[in-house]
Amino acid sequence: MDFLRLPTVSVAHFDGCTTHDYQAGVEAALSYLGSIGRFVKPGQRVLLKPDLMYDYPGGCGYTSSPQFVAAVARAVSDVGAAVIVGDSPFVLRGNITDFWRVAGILDAAEQGHFELVNFEMSGSQAVALETRVYYISRAVLEADAVINLPRLKYDRWTGFAGGIRNMLGTLPGFQKGRLYKEVSGGRELADIMVDIFSVVRPVLTIAEAVPVNLDETSLSRGGAYIVASSDTVAIDTVLSEMLRLDQTKIHTTRAAADAGLGIGWAEAIRLAGSPLNLTGNEFRQHSPVGRKAVLRKMARGIVEPYVWMKSSVNGDLCSGCGTCLDSCPTKAIQMPVGTSTPRINYNLCICCWAGLANCPTQAIYLEESRAVRKLFPVSSHSRDATSIS
Ligand code: SF4
Ligand code: SF4
């Protein structure tokens, strides 16, 4: 084994919840890797990819803390790079601005820390791999560098949610939901996550390993850490080992290591910085995507046909401008000869929501099945945000 090529995973313990506290943690974690200047250069457009999959307040355990994202953005912009931040929600209802407000990320952006990018609006590009074609956000593919900001938590399907899984949010729209419907189980889903990770390779992964509902009480019970490495697979390996998870069941890490995308053996990874002491219990926050039993049935095809979302056109609001035709990556939106209202060919549609996000008159809207409403209820946080606007 070539010792010089062993990846380093750096760990910084911190004990506060403010942006300043996070900044100290991020700076310490980066210092063990050299500096952030090793990974990003002045003048680059750097995309930060946090975990904003659900419309829950940042820091609650499901999603990235805005303070964390702001702290990383500050470090990157200090190098002289432009910072953009984006993620595609698992299920997006209504206005993305409301979603960002709930997640707390809008405030951070308005304070000038970074620019938010709407993956649905910026469109996607087809990337054909051996197994399937993925439509990945253009904002991600066109960035000069991507920094991956996962939030450590468990995942019902893949056992563990770390840096590799976080790349799933680079698929705009309900493509993610379609993939969950298509797979037969966690192993296949892990392969999909590794596929996407093989296309979107972050220059740096900085994980937020903090307890659920980070506050002074939870901090007094356990540690909060920032964990960083240029090797995402190494970070996932270290974190899942610390949580004492059965490594043979963490297929994302195994498959990515086998594909040569990083190092997946703890013995081959150098740790730097603070000792990492995760008990596991404070991270026992599963993804809120439905109940395990329901998802299992869905995978077996019982519920699956009833789980759908689709975009539709309201002819009364349509001006016939044609913007949606240009936005659609699969040419699923067509304007029949002799008409001025587009039609959608659902056989071609990949549910990326680009037409909807770009329609100037809101003539394109989302339809969803009852099963989707049951599985992904609109959170009270989201309702509050919507009533504010
Ligand atoms: S973008 Fe909207 S308004 Fe323009 S053609 Fe499409 S549906 Fe009609
Ligand atoms: S019709 Fe086109 S733009 Fe609209 S969701 Fe389907 S693939 Fe995306």
Side-chain angles (χ1 to χ4, degrees):
M1 186 181 298
D2 181 354
F3 181 76
L4 291 175
R5 294 183 60 200
L6 297 185
T8 298
V9 170
S10 73
V11 180
H13 182 267
F14 72 107
D15 52 9
C17 327
T18 66
T19 300
H20 185 74
D21 298 323
Y22 269 97
Q23 232 167 315
V26 167
E27 278 169 19
L30 291 174
S31 70
Y32 302 126
L33 299 178
S35 76
I36 192 135
R38 280 188 57 209
F39 307 100
V40 295
K41 303 292 173 220
Q44 282 189 328
R45 191 168 163 82
V46 178
L47 181 121
L48 307 188
K49 165 64 182 73
D51 181 349
L52 303 176
M53 284 281 254
Y54 303 105
D55 52 351
Y56 284 79
C60 72
Y62 296 136
T63 52
S64 296
S65 307
Q67 301 93 321
F68 171 53
V69 181
V72 178
R74 172 78 63 88
V76 175
S77 59
D78 282 351
V79 173
V83 185
I84 54 174
V85 172
D87 191 20
S88 172
F90 199 86
V91 171
L92 177 62
R93 290 189 177 88
N95 192 327
I96 186 83
T97 309
D98 289 333
F99 186 99
W100 288 335
R101 184 177 295 121
V102 170
I105 206 80
L106 190 64
D107 271 358
E110 286 172 351
Q111 285 165 22
H113 293 297
F114 46 79
E115 175 195 336
L116 280 163
V117 57
N118 177 345
F119 283 180
E120 281 68 34
M121 189 175 258
S122 54
S124 56
Q125 185 177 312
V127 177
L129 299 188
E130 246 175 60
T131 41
R132 53 181 94 219
V133 179
Y134 297 94
Y135 287 81
I136 296 176
S137 161
R138 278 188 191 282
V140 175
L141 296 175
E142 291 171 2
D144 295 312
V146 173
I147 297 182
N148 185 13
L149 305 181
R151 175 156 186 155
L152 174 62
K153 55 184 180 254
Y154 290 83
D155 183 276
R156 292 183 192 281
W157 279 59
T158 52
F160 167 75
I164 296 169
R165 175 190 181 271
N166 198 39
M167 290 296 103
L168 196 59
T170 62
L171 304 183
F174 196 57
Q175 294 180 76
K176 303 172 280 294
R178 285 163 54 98
L179 291 170
Y180 272 78
K181 282 170 63 174
E182 280 174 33
V183 299
S184 56
R187 188 180 288 260
E188 203 181 335
L189 193 60
D191 286 340
I192 285 172
M193 291 170 182
V194 172
D195 270 357
I196 298 164
F197 175 65
S198 75
V199 176
V200 184
R201 304 299 311 282
V203 293
L204 186 61
T205 292
I206 311 177
E208 186 184 7
V210 303
V212 171
N213 294 322
L214 179 64
D215 57 19
E216 297 305 333
T217 314
S218 63
L219 280 170
S220 67
R221 283 202 301 265
Y225 300 91
I226 303 296
V227 185
S229 179
S230 57
D231 186 328
T232 310
V233 183
I235 281 207
D236 282 7
T237 301
V238 167
L239 291 176
S240 56
E241 286 239 343
M242 284 289 165
L243 292 175
R244 297 171 192 82
L245 299 175
D246 179 351
Q247 293 301 301
T248 60
K249 293 187 176 152
I250 310 296
H251 299 304
T252 44
T253 316
R254 291 272 64 78
D258 290 349
L261 300 173
I263 300 296
W265 298 271
E267 309 74 44
I269 298 166
R270 281 183 289 190
L271 285 173
S274 323
L276 188 58
N277 180 25
L278 306 176
T279 65
N281 285 337
E282 66 268 36
F283 298 94
R284 279 199 187 281
Q285 189 83 312
H286 284 279
S287 130
V289 184
R291 305 284 179 273
K292 193 173 185 177
V294 173
L295 286 170
R296 281 207 174 132
K297 282 183 190 170
M298 189 169 103
R300 289 180 195 135
I302 297 171
V303 176
E304 181 272 334
Y306 304 102
V307 177
W308 53 263
M309 296 182 85
K310 64 177 185 178
S311 52
S312 296
V313 182
N314 179 344
D316 292 342
L317 294 178
C318 176
S319 66
C321 69
T323 304
C324 55
L325 278 72
D326 296 334
S327 312
C328 178
T330 62
K331 304 295 170 214
I333 308 182
Q334 293 145 10
M335 192 78 83
V337 179
T339 70
S340 56
T341 304
R343 291 220 184 107
I344 297 174
N345 178 346
Y346 292 107
N347 292 325
L348 297 177
C349 177
I350 48 113
C351 300
C352 70
W353 308 157
L356 181 150
N358 285 287
C359 173
T361 65
Q362 283 85 52
I364 305 187
Y365 62 98
L366 275 186
E367 283 188 74
E368 60 192 23
S369 65
R370 280 179 59 189
V372 164
R373 284 198 292 276
K374 284 265 182 217
L375 281 166
F376 309 100
V378 179
S379 77
S380 56
H381 317 292
S382 204
R383 273 198 298 274
D384 292 347
T386 308
S387 63
I388 291 166
S389 62

